[in-house]
Amino acid sequence: MNIPVAAASIEDTQAKTLFFEFKGNAKEYFGIWIVNLFLTIITLGIYSAWATVRRRRYFYGNTSLDGHNFEYHAEPIQILIGRIIVFAVLIAISLLTQLVSPWFNLLYLPYLIALPLLINKSMAFNARMTSFRNVRLSFGGTYWGALGVFIGMPLLALLSFGILGPIASRLSANYIGRHLKFGNAAFRTDARLGLLYRNWGAAVGVVLAGAAGLAALSALAIWSGWDGVMTIVPVAVYAVLLVSFSFYAAGVRNIAFNSTELEGGVRLHSKVGRLRYVWILFSNLVAIILSLSLLSAWSSVRYWRYLSGATSLTVSGTLDHFVGARAAEGNVAAAEFMDIEGFDFGL
């Protein structure tokens, strides 16, 4: 899940670091989560749109910066309509393929062609629905840019067995950062490829260490005559890959955030500990499984609180005018935000 970013005000001209703070708690969110789950089940998934809005409003509303909370403005019906459109198209194609002819699989091609557009629309919608101090975020990507960044380059990275992964990470981080705005002030991200490859090397080291440990464990199991080794090995391989990916993702987040600035003297910072991040994800997963999902709310709060606490801004100059000048724009455009392109396509 991503943390919303924005500028904050200070009264002096000295550089000042402002930290994000999450004030929610697991007990309070559990009440929201259990009601969302119950209503989603009994409505056969229809309530999931309302559940999404309630969840985001809780987390955004309890996340503060410089004493001000974030807000999430989407209406559930917007999200529901978007999901119905996507699900209806995919179900229709699936039924035609199974009941009429396999040739209807070709109908997936227009969907894949439209995917970059849908990705841009989804990010633009979520940005417009997020505000800080009455100023909205916005996102304005391009079709060909999204095609290359989110589809073309990841495929090349996959075909290169991950060697081109840092290039894909750099392109995606820069694409998002350079098309995001706070009011009419633009963000800019320039992630350094050298740092990304250094992070990638560390992740590869995690894979090699995990592979060595797995090989030693397998050899010991075979030597001892334990027949269950062939069952454990696939699970262990998946776990090693998941840990290394999470390790890599935490590093990418730090590099991307630390390479991002907002015009007007605002810089973003992220200090996510890679091992700590992996531990939180792993222990959350174990807790959810052992509790039969009852600790999902606790896991979500724990995860969001950690990312919030690891994120900060450095501001310089007087930004009260910076925020105030853009507040009116956010108010006047509110109706347009709600009426035009107001669908979350569930991507």
Side-chain angles (χ1 to χ4, degrees):
M1 163 179 342
N2 292 329
I3 303 294
V5 293
S9 62
I10 56 175
E11 298 180 355
D12 51 44
T13 58
Q14 285 188 329
K16 182 179 180 180
T17 300
L18 303 172
F19 289 91
F20 289 81
E21 181 182 4
F22 179 65
K23 301 177 181 178
N25 62 78
K27 181 179 179 181
E28 185 178 54
Y29 178 59
F30 179 81
I32 295 175
W33 175 83
I34 197 67
V35 171
N36 282 347
L37 178 63
F38 174 74
L39 293 178
T40 298
I41 292 174
I42 66 173
T43 61
L44 301 179
I46 294 177
Y47 187 79
S48 64
W50 279 260
T52 296
V53 170
R54 289 189 69 198
R55 173 170 52 82
R56 291 183 179 178
R57 285 181 178 173
Y58 178 80
F59 281 100
Y60 282 38
N62 282 283
T63 302
S64 64
L65 179 69
D66 197 28
H68 298 273
N69 295 338
F70 290 85
E71 294 182 87
Y72 185 72
H73 303 275
E75 294 297 330
I77 194 66
Q78 296 173 288
I79 296 176
L80 180 62
I81 292 174
R83 289 179 179 176
I84 289 175
I85 292 173
V86 172
F87 290 152
V89 170
L90 295 180
I91 290 175
I93 294 175
S94 178
L95 290 176
L96 289 172
T97 300
Q98 296 179 26
L99 301 179
V100 182
S101 171
W103 284 101
F104 279 103
N105 277 313
L106 293 175
L107 291 176
Y108 282 110
L109 185 58
Y111 177 79
L112 293 176
I113 293 175
L115 190 56
L117 176 64
L118 298 181
I119 292 174
N120 280 333
K121 292 293 185 181
S122 181
M123 289 193 291
F125 177 83
N126 286 320
R128 287 198 306 271
M129 295 302 107
T130 303
S131 71
F132 177 75
R133 295 187 66 177
N134 210 28
V135 184
R136 304 243 185 170
L137 292 171
S138 62
F139 181 85
T142 64
Y143 176 87
W144 294 109
L147 178 65
V149 166
F150 297 117
I151 297 178
M153 199 59 218
L155 287 176
L156 291 177
L158 184 63
L159 292 174
S160 69
F161 298 99
I163 295 176
L164 296 180
I167 298 178
S169 297
R170 181 179 191 271
L171 291 177
S172 62
N174 290 352
Y175 176 82
I176 294 173
R178 293 176 182 182
H179 289 90
L180 188 65
K181 287 186 176 182
F182 175 63
N184 56 18
F187 287 89
R188 179 174 177 80
T189 301
D190 188 15
R192 293 172 55 187
L193 190 58
L195 293 177
L196 289 167
Y197 263 106
R198 190 180 305 172
N199 179 58
W200 177 82
V204 171
V206 172
V207 173
L208 295 177
L214 181 59
L217 181 61
S218 299
L220 180 62
I222 293 174
W223 176 78
S224 65
W226 182 46
D227 295 333
V229 64
M230 297 309 297
T231 303
I232 297 298
V233 168
V235 177
V237 170
Y238 175 78
V240 169
L241 293 177
L242 183 60
V243 166
S244 63
F245 178 79
S246 301
F247 186 90
Y248 176 77
V252 170
R253 183 190 196 272
N254 287 340
I255 295 168
F257 273 56
N258 294 334
S259 303
T260 299
E261 61 181 14
L262 175 65
E263 62 178 344
V266 180
R267 294 196 62 87
L268 276 67
H269 303 284
S270 174
K271 295 182 178 180
V272 173
R274 290 178 293 186
L275 292 177
R276 175 66 175 168
Y277 181 77
V278 169
W279 165 247
I280 288 176
L281 291 182
F282 175 77
S283 56
N284 278 356
L285 178 61
V286 172
I288 291 172
I289 293 174
L290 295 180
S291 68
L292 302 179
S293 295
L294 290 177
L295 288 178
S296 293
W298 171 83
S299 299
S300 297
V301 167
R302 183 189 184 207
Y303 177 79
W304 188 278
R305 178 178 288 114
Y306 178 71
L307 289 186
S308 298
T311 309
S312 62
L313 299 178
T314 298
V315 297
S316 59
T318 302
L319 297 182
D320 282 334
H321 175 71
F322 174 88
V323 173
R326 289 159 177 80
E329 177 182 338
N331 283 332
V332 171
E336 180 180 355
F337 286 150
M338 303 301 282
D339 293 335
I340 299 179
E341 299 175 355
F343 299 133
D344 180 359
F345 286 90
L347 299 174

